[in-house]
Amino acid sequence: MTRRRWVPEGTDQDVPNVARVYDCYLGGSHNFAADRELAREAVEMWPDLPLIMRANRAFMRRAVQFLAGEGITRFLDIGSGLPTFGPVHEVARVVQPKARVVYVDIDPVAVQHSRLLVADDPLCAAVEADMRDPAGLLGRPAVAELLRPREPVAALLLAVLHFVTDEESPARIVRELTAALPPGSALALSHGSREGRPDLVEKHEDLYARASAPLTMRTRAQIVALFDGFRLLEPGVVYLPEWRPQDPASVGPHPELFSGLAGVGLKP
């Protein structure tokens, strides 16, 4: 794939972009020098970051396959970022071969790359939208089509709400987005926590101040509150590796070092 195809004209390559920095942590190649520099500084400060990002992807896989096993065939991946090995539609189709997925991101590079990935897949789409404008996001034709049959939909908000400031109200965003979901739908969410490594929170937030979106890590209570209106599934909101691990021994003695909290809830 040439750079011409996945970099839309006018893309700012000088400001670190949070989706492309995440790609750096995962060892991807769809990023620029500014993204790699911020990722390098972040990992120097917090060496476990690549492991944390992989743990987030592993949570996605477990949550998606669990929900697919519960009969959900429609997935709305909000803040999907750059697709990496094992994107949501591939993960879901292990269980539901006809799963439909709409990928949503604000970053044009991420959206363009996702469109290339699913160009020949009639059950998938990628749209550019800002989750801070829920009405605009829900009004995108591909999203509206996903919701139109009023079948249960799994909304995925993975490692994205910590790029929403308090002033922008992540709780409002989740409430307005999930109000459009039919009964029986699900919310899978992960979020950077202040509790896991409190000694690094402020330094990390300061570093991300120069990225495309500031970072706001939150308390466990604030993250649990994002599931308002949903029935949290066991084991509740826990550190990333603790959510229904395939091998309990893989959690290790200090899951708090992964910092991110995750959970899945069902809409009555």
Side-chain angles (χ1 to χ4, degrees):
M1 182 178 300
T2 65
R3 178 162 293 187
R4 282 194 306 277
R5 295 182 64 202
W6 66 266
V7 181
E9 186 175 353
T11 298
D12 188 343
Q13 301 184 23
D14 297 323
V15 175
N17 177 277
V18 296
R20 299 194 299 266
V21 172
Y22 187 93
D23 183 60
C24 293
Y25 295 142
L26 293 173
S29 58
H30 294 90
N31 48 70
F32 305 125
D35 310 313
R36 293 189 289 274
E37 176 58 22
L38 190 141
R40 183 191 64 77
E41 292 182 43
V43 172
E44 282 186 357
M45 177 190 302
W46 197 335
D48 288 335
L49 280 176
L51 293 176
I52 294 170
M53 304 312 163
R54 292 189 191 105
N56 185 66
R57 293 294 296 179
F59 163 69
M60 179 276 286
R61 291 191 291 271
R62 297 195 303 276
V64 166
Q65 290 197 350
F66 168 79
L67 293 170
E70 292 295 297
I72 291 181
T73 62
R74 294 171 180 262
F75 295 82
L76 180 59
D77 189 358
I78 301 172
S80 53
L82 285 151
T84 57
F85 177 75
V88 170
H89 65 281
E90 292 181 3
V91 173
R93 287 174 184 170
V94 172
V95 181
Q96 295 285 356
K98 295 185 179 180
R100 295 178 176 269
V101 179
V102 175
Y103 295 98
V104 182
D105 206 277
I106 192 175
D107 175 39
V109 172
V111 174
Q112 177 67 5
H113 192 61
S114 295
R115 284 174 177 163
L116 291 169
L117 178 71
V118 302
D120 299 321
D121 191 330
L123 300 180
C124 290
V127 301
E128 185 176 342
D130 187 343
M131 68 178 174
R132 294 169 297 186
D133 174 18
L137 188 157
L138 294 168
R140 294 291 194 273
V143 177
E145 182 181 354
L146 187 77
L147 297 171
R148 189 172 294 120
R150 306 306 294 168
E151 297 176 7
V153 174
L156 312 179
L157 286 161
L158 306 178
V160 66
L161 287 169
H162 47 233
F163 294 117
V164 174
T165 65
D166 290 337
E167 291 72 22
E168 293 164 336
S169 183
R172 171 193 63 83
I173 291 169
V174 174
R175 184 171 61 250
E176 293 182 16
L177 286 173
T178 58
L181 301 181
S185 293
L187 172 64
L189 186 153
S190 61
H191 195 298
S193 163
R194 302 187 70 85
E195 280 95 340
R197 288 296 306 272
D199 55 316
L200 294 174
V201 169
E202 290 188 9
K203 293 177 181 178
H204 206 57
E205 288 178 338
D206 288 345
L207 182 62
Y208 267 79
R210 73 173 199 251
S212 59
L215 177 67
T216 304
M217 299 175 77
R218 295 186 167 92
T219 66
R220 178 184 293 271
Q222 289 174 311
I223 296 168
V224 170
L226 296 173
F227 285 95
D228 184 41
F230 284 77
R231 177 175 61 85
L232 269 172
L233 300 180
E234 292 293 334
V237 175
V238 293
Y239 288 110
L240 291 165
E242 292 182 305
W243 197 88
R244 301 193 178 205
Q246 293 178 331
D247 177 9
S250 68
V251 174
H254 295 289
E256 74 278 3
L257 296 181
F258 286 86
S259 185
L261 291 171
V264 175
L266 295 182
K267 185 174 182 177

